[in-house]
Amino acid sequence: MRKIVSLAMGAVLVWGMVALGEVIKIEFNTLFHEADAKAMEEIIDLFNASHTNIQVELIQGRWAQYYAELRLSVIAGTPPQLGICHVNRLVEVADYLTPLEASPVGNLIQIGGINPADFPKATWDAGELAGHHYLIPLDTHGWGLWYNKDIFVAAGLDPDKPPQTMGEFMAACEAIKAAGYYAFHPAEDSLPRKLRRAWEIFFYQMGGGALFDEGYTKATFNNPAGLLALQFLVDIFNNFGWNIVGGNGYNQFTAGRLGMLFAGNWFYPTARDSGVNWGYAKVPNFFGTPYTWGASHQLSVPLQPAGTSPAVYQATMEVARFVVEHSHIWTMSGGHIAANRTALKNPALLSSDYWTRSGHLLDEMIQQGLVKFPINHPRGSELEKAIETYIELAVNGKIAPAAALAQAEAECNKILQGR
């Protein structure tokens, strides 16, 4: 009864404020950049244009500092009302987020009219931790194979048949190299986290198992599959002649100098506008199972200061519902595959250039369970940093692959043991 009374009071306050003509301002912080930032701006502009009682200030934060700034804003008592959270980061930041089913003003999922059945169960469940639900699914995103059809023709390859096996891929790379182009870049712009993601793709395809044991007591990636995966990554830059150490795959591809590139779906607008005659394919099956790297953006409500008005919570959830219900725009313009089932059936999306040329293939990888999400641990960022530091050293030729994995393993174990 107390909850019902609380909700009723919230509704009265909301409608009372609307009746008085007051405008509720919602701050929405994200970590998006480039195409997905523009896509979110498009959705929020649509919201602001269609609402007079709620206005959203969209702040596109910095990717690398986003989570630290989120924590600091909560501690300082100045959090945004709405934010973004990768599913694998929930375990790191849950203490700074509002449990949606147990907020100070009641169940925000119900207040916002969010229906869990509108999302894949696994994606919805990923927002739960320790008996509470913190997140609302926005998308799944991941890497695929982008290729230059004109380079394929110049190399004597079929531009409508991108390689999908190791044999086909090796032959394609050698043909492209012989034609005078960079053959393949496995890691977008070669940032350390991108090199780690490429290594993870090869590791999982080889059946390397999990990166850590079930209880996260120790690292388990320093095994034969892990070493072969890293050696393959190192050879791409150092021994096969397919690319160069430090090469920027984004720039090489848009300049028409790269045959094939592993990159996320967010590369679509750049590829589209580059003038390159491009194609898209699923990540090839190099080593057994064609896994790719991916993750999921979800909406979150950072912990609000005590005394925050029920009207603010209500308005926040109205914005959240609007965003997921219009996430076909997110997919068409930002490239991330919408989690909302209705949005994913939007006719404009299904007939769009993005969907017909690449999006449907990424969605097939998602539906087939071929997208491997990042590790999920309270110190996950530190663990990933430890791994990618040594992978980058190996790729740059500063350390042998075996030594790199051994040192990454030792560093991760120190982190897990609290040292």
Side-chain angles (χ1 to χ4, degrees):
M1 179 60 74
R2 178 177 299 175
K3 181 180 295 185
I4 294 174
V5 171
S6 175
L7 294 178
M9 291 177 64
V12 168
L13 281 171
V14 170
W15 293 114
M17 295 181 76
V18 171
L20 291 172
E22 294 188 35
V23 176
I24 300 175
K25 295 183 178 180
I26 299 299
E27 185 177 306
F28 180 17
N29 276 22
T30 83
L31 39 56
F32 303 130
H33 52 282
E34 299 182 355
D36 47 13
K38 294 179 180 176
M40 188 55 71
E41 288 173 8
E42 185 177 350
I43 296 173
I44 295 304
D45 287 346
L46 189 62
F47 179 92
N48 285 336
S50 59
H51 291 73
T52 57
N53 59 323
I54 305 169
Q55 290 293 288
V56 180
E57 180 184 6
L58 180 63
I59 299 174
Q60 310 274 24
R62 296 171 296 177
W63 200 97
Q65 290 81 24
Y66 175 79
Y67 290 100
E69 291 176 350
L70 172 66
R71 293 186 183 94
L72 289 174
S73 71
V74 171
I75 293 171
T78 57
Q81 284 72 49
L82 191 62
I84 292 292
C85 182
H86 291 88
V87 288
N88 60 301
R89 294 296 185 92
L90 173 60
V91 69
E92 298 180 48
V93 298
D95 289 345
Y96 301 86
L97 301 180
T98 301
L100 299 179
E101 88 293 347
S103 84
V105 298
N107 188 326
L108 294 181
I109 298 171
Q110 296 176 0
I111 291 173
I114 304 292
N115 183 359
D118 288 339
F119 306 90
K121 184 177 185 303
T123 309
W124 178 265
D125 290 348
E128 294 182 4
L129 183 69
H132 291 296
H133 196 97
Y134 292 92
L135 306 177
I136 301 169
L138 177 59
D139 68 47
T140 299
H141 50 276
W143 280 14
L145 178 69
W146 303 79
Y147 68 98
N148 184 316
K149 290 188 175 185
D150 290 340
I151 291 179
F152 266 49
V153 172
L157 301 169
D158 186 343
D160 296 319
K161 190 179 179 182
Q164 283 295 285
T165 67
M166 176 60 104
E168 294 173 354
F169 193 83
M170 297 284 286
C173 284
E174 291 304 312
I176 293 170
K177 183 175 70 174
Y181 297 95
Y182 294 117
F184 173 54
H185 197 298
E188 296 186 334
D189 50 4
S190 289
L191 289 176
R193 70 175 185 274
K194 315 292 185 68
L195 294 171
R196 171 180 48 74
R197 292 172 185 175
W199 170 75
E200 287 181 14
I201 289 175
F202 302 143
F203 175 81
Y204 288 126
Q205 287 207 5
M206 288 182 181
L211 299 177
F212 299 89
D213 66 355
E214 187 173 353
Y216 277 89
T217 64
K218 63 179 181 180
T220 55
F221 55 76
N222 186 14
N223 58 29
L227 180 56
L228 285 173
L230 184 53
Q231 186 64 61
F232 185 66
L233 180 62
V234 168
D235 286 344
I236 288 170
F237 293 101
N238 295 276
N239 298 319
F240 294 161
W242 294 351
N243 215 299
I244 56 175
V245 173
N248 185 318
Y250 286 150
N251 294 342
Q252 293 170 348
F253 193 90
T254 55
R257 299 300 306 162
L258 176 63
M260 295 182 286
L261 170 69
F262 273 3
N265 43 269
W266 47 87
F267 186 58
Y268 164 73
T270 303
R272 179 195 59 199
D273 298 339
S274 68
V276 170
N277 181 21
W278 60 271
Y280 180 88
K282 298 178 182 177
V283 166
N285 186 350
F286 294 106
F287 302 112
T289 305
Y291 289 120
T292 187
W293 176 92
S296 173
H297 296 121
Q298 305 215 3
L299 300 173
S300 64
V301 178
L303 279 177
Q304 299 299 300
T308 296
S309 165
V312 172
Y313 283 102
Q314 171 89 19
T316 300
M317 295 309 295
E318 187 167 340
V319 177
R321 188 180 71 247
F322 187 94
V323 170
V324 296
E325 289 180 346
H326 291 76
S327 52
H328 61 284
I329 298 173
W330 182 242
T331 303
M332 285 191 296
S333 300
H336 306 305
I337 304 300
N340 182 273
R341 298 183 192 279
T342 302
L344 209 51
K345 296 177 182 176
N346 184 280
L349 168 62
L350 298 181
S351 62
S352 67
D353 180 75
Y354 168 70
W355 190 260
T356 55
R357 294 184 70 182
S358 61
H360 74 285
L361 292 172
L362 175 57
D363 186 49
E364 286 180 14
M365 286 189 280
I366 294 168
Q367 301 306 324
Q368 292 167 359
L370 296 175
V371 177
K372 285 284 191 179
F373 281 6
I375 57 176
N376 195 356
H377 185 272
R379 302 185 71 177
S381 298
E382 295 174 70
L383 295 170
E384 289 183 340
K385 183 68 175 178
I387 296 172
E388 65 200 31
T389 295
Y390 290 102
I391 284 179
E392 182 186 31
L393 288 173
V395 169
N396 290 344
K398 303 295 185 183
I399 187 173
L405 279 191
Q407 293 191 38
E409 176 188 32
E411 189 67 28
C412 286
N413 287 341
K414 287 181 182 178
I415 294 170
L416 293 173
Q417 293 161 13
R419 290 186 285 167

